Amino acid sequence: MKAGATPIVPVLLSGGTGTRLWPVSRANHPKQFIDLLGSETLFQAAVRRFSHAMFSPPLVLTQTEYSATARTQLLALGVRNARLLLEPSARNTAPAILAAALHLDQTMSNSLMVVAPSDHLIGDPAVFRDCIRAAIPAAEAGQLVTFGVRPTGPETGFGYLELERPFEHGEFAPMPLRKFVEKPSMERAQAMVNAGTYLWNAGIFLFTTKSIIRAFQDHTPEMLPLVQDALDTSLEEGDGLTLGADAWSGLPSISVDYAVMEHTANLCVVPFSGAWSDLGNWDAVRQASAFTPEDDVSTGGRATAIDCEATLLRSNPDGPQLVGIGLKDIIAVATPDAVLVAHKSRAQDVGKAALALGTGATHPGQANDRQANAWGWVDSLSRGAGYRVNYMHVEPGHRISLPASPLQTKHWTVVSGTARLTLDTVIRCLRENQSVHIPPGVVPQLENTGQIPLALIETQTGNVSGPADIAYAESRPIGNVN
């Protein structure tokens, strides 16, 4: 960027469900918000990637149900100036990108915006930023710039970008794009890699707000009034803007490639030769993990591999001990409520498991036993007829007000930390190994006034057949903690 130029706005797409990484990724806690490879989630890695002087604070596009998780993970990074644009329901990338462009154009007229998925792995952020710098003149001139990744081999799980001419390794100059190519067969993918004129479609774009709005006007004009109506009827709360549900529900679920990019003439591509992966399935995770080159084995959590080859074994820290002996080309992933075993050649089909298990909001195909909130999370440990047992984790400096349960009794035991509890008008302080009985009809208010997370075991008895009332907890910061 030139000195004094306006920073680029990163628009992070964070609404996907990542079904091909089931059973770890679920609809209620999807891939982008999970630590798959290291000490931070993919979403946090994406935020960090754009924490550079050439970028302004990010605009995070996600669904309303993920807002608490996104805010918590942003705060964990110390990022307090991000904005959230919240979708009432999933409508794929075209409506989301148009909403971001219209919103930004109202507040930062004709600003540059870089649109990127928040669940991808980019191994060299500095080289990636060099690519973006090289694309700025074309974007400022009205081009829609997409970024393509140099193939390292034939892949059938990616779309491709066909160039007008071969490209050189490390070349950053924007190039004419001949056409988009759908996911190919293995034979066709190998031919395209050999040709040297194809890139993987990374789904990353750079353009001005007015350029992309004009493209929607030219190719899908029917979307504009609905998206504008969703913005006009949105609700603003703090750092977030929730789009109007009525208008949003009338929009089609369509990708930006189908809606705009495959039809526009003012499109160019910048090649990226650095390490990249969409981490779209468990075999991609295996390849991106730190494994020993001789045996090509990846393990994570409570997993052990003995004499295995080209295999991924992963078990959550709270999952069962997973041991593989003499395995080859196998993916085995365990969580407390599910185990996946598949041949790595079928990694693209794992999403079928989530579909086969059902689509209900509480079904194992869609939900796991963790419920994330702005103040922490709740793990469901056990439940049955007339009882439920939860583990509650409350971050320092948060106050939770729960609704009264007229037919339910609760018992809270502090495992670690310090709790300030208000039951109607009675205030108590609880420390480790201390408990409290909450009778039916009482409104409990819980505060973590300490410097460390507060951990409690909650036992509920009585009418526990409905959703856990913790889902309806109201939370707000209590200011500086002692």
Side-chain angles (χ1 to χ4, degrees), residues 93-340:
T93 56
I97 290 171
L98 179 56
L102 289 170
H103 172 65
L104 290 173
D105 201 56
Q106 291 171 359
T107 56
M108 304 169 61
S109 180
N110 206 31
S111 56
L112 278 170
M113 53 188 286
V114 56
V115 178
S118 65
D119 58 355
H120 289 186
L121 172 68
I122 295 180
D124 193 337
V127 175
F128 176 63
R129 288 192 291 268
D130 288 340
C131 287
I132 294 176
R133 287 190 187 93
I136 289 174
E140 290 180 332
Q143 291 277 295
L144 306 181
V145 184
T146 184
F147 297 85
V149 176
R150 180 180 63 88
T152 56
E155 285 287 346
T156 60
F158 302 149
Y160 286 72
L161 306 170
E162 184 179 1
L163 306 177
E164 293 285 354
R165 63 170 178 82
F167 63 95
E168 300 294 330
H169 179 77
E171 183 176 0
F172 291 153
M175 304 173 64
L177 177 63
R178 177 172 290 174
K179 65 179 178 180
F180 287 79
V181 180
E182 293 295 321
K183 297 176 181 178
S185 66
M186 179 57 71
E187 181 180 4
R188 173 67 174 145
Q190 185 63 65
M192 289 192 291
V193 171
N194 294 341
T197 55
Y198 292 85
L199 299 169
W200 290 334
N201 184 2
I204 303 173
F205 304 95
L206 178 72
F207 33 64
T208 66
T209 55
K210 292 197 183 302
S211 294
I212 189 62
I213 292 170
R214 190 178 305 115
F216 275 97
Q217 289 172 334
D218 291 341
H219 303 294
T220 53
E222 67 279 3
M223 290 181 59
L224 267 85
L226 284 170
V227 174
Q228 187 61 61
D229 190 16
L231 281 166
D232 292 341
T233 56
S234 61
L235 298 175
E236 186 163 6
E237 182 181 356
D239 61 353
L241 195 68
T242 302
L243 295 163
D246 290 343
W248 196 255
S249 65
L251 285 160
S253 179
I254 184 171
S255 73
V256 72
D257 284 355
Y258 284 126
V260 172
M261 298 302 173
E262 293 184 2
H263 312 291
T264 190
N266 64 327
L267 191 66
C268 62
V269 59
V270 173
F272 173 64
S273 297
W276 172 88
S277 174
D278 72 340
L279 297 176
N281 59 62
W282 282 116
D283 196 48
V285 173
R286 178 188 67 84
Q287 294 178 52
S289 301
F291 52 74
T292 302
E294 303 86 67
D295 54 19
D296 199 15
V297 171
S298 174
T299 58
R302 303 184 67 213
T304 302
I306 300 173
D307 297 330
C308 294
E309 180 182 348
T311 289
L312 179 142
L313 301 175
R314 178 188 176 111
S315 182
N316 281 10
D318 55 350
Q321 183 69 53
L322 180 63
V323 179
I325 302 175
L327 301 179
K328 181 179 180 180
D329 298 333
I330 294 297
I331 292 165
V333 182
T335 64
D337 66 336
V339 177
L340 166 72

Side-chain angles (χ1 to χ4, degrees), residues 383-426:
R383 55 182 176 266
Y387 80 93
R388 178 186 279 130
V389 180
N390 295 322
Y391 170 87
M392 298 172 58
H393 174 105
V394 183
E395 293 291 342
H398 280 275
R399 175 189 293 126
I400 310 168
S401 295
L402 284 82
S405 302
L407 300 176
Q408 190 181 105
T409 297
K410 296 185 179 71
H411 191 87
W412 286 349
T413 301
V414 175
V415 177
S416 62
T418 302
R420 186 174 188 267
L421 181 68
T422 304
L423 300 179
D424 288 338
T425 59
V426 179

Side-chain angles (χ1 to χ4, degrees), residues 59-96:
L59 178 65
V60 177
L61 266 166
T62 191
Q63 295 180 48
T64 52
E65 62 189 292
Y66 305 146
S67 61
T69 301
R71 286 186 174 104
T72 299
Q73 295 194 4
L74 286 166
L75 288 175
L77 290 175
V79 176
R80 301 179 182 277
N81 54 1
R83 292 282 294 168
L84 273 65
L85 191 58
L86 303 175
E87 304 170 71
S89 55
R91 285 296 181 270
N92 214 316
T93 56

Side-chain angles (χ1 to χ4, degrees), residues 371-373 375 378 390 400-403 460 467-474:
Q371 187 176 92
N373 298 274
W375 45 265
V378 177
N390 295 322
I400 310 168
S401 295
L402 284 82
Q460 303 174 5
D469 59 7
I470 203 75
Y472 308 108
E474 296 182 0

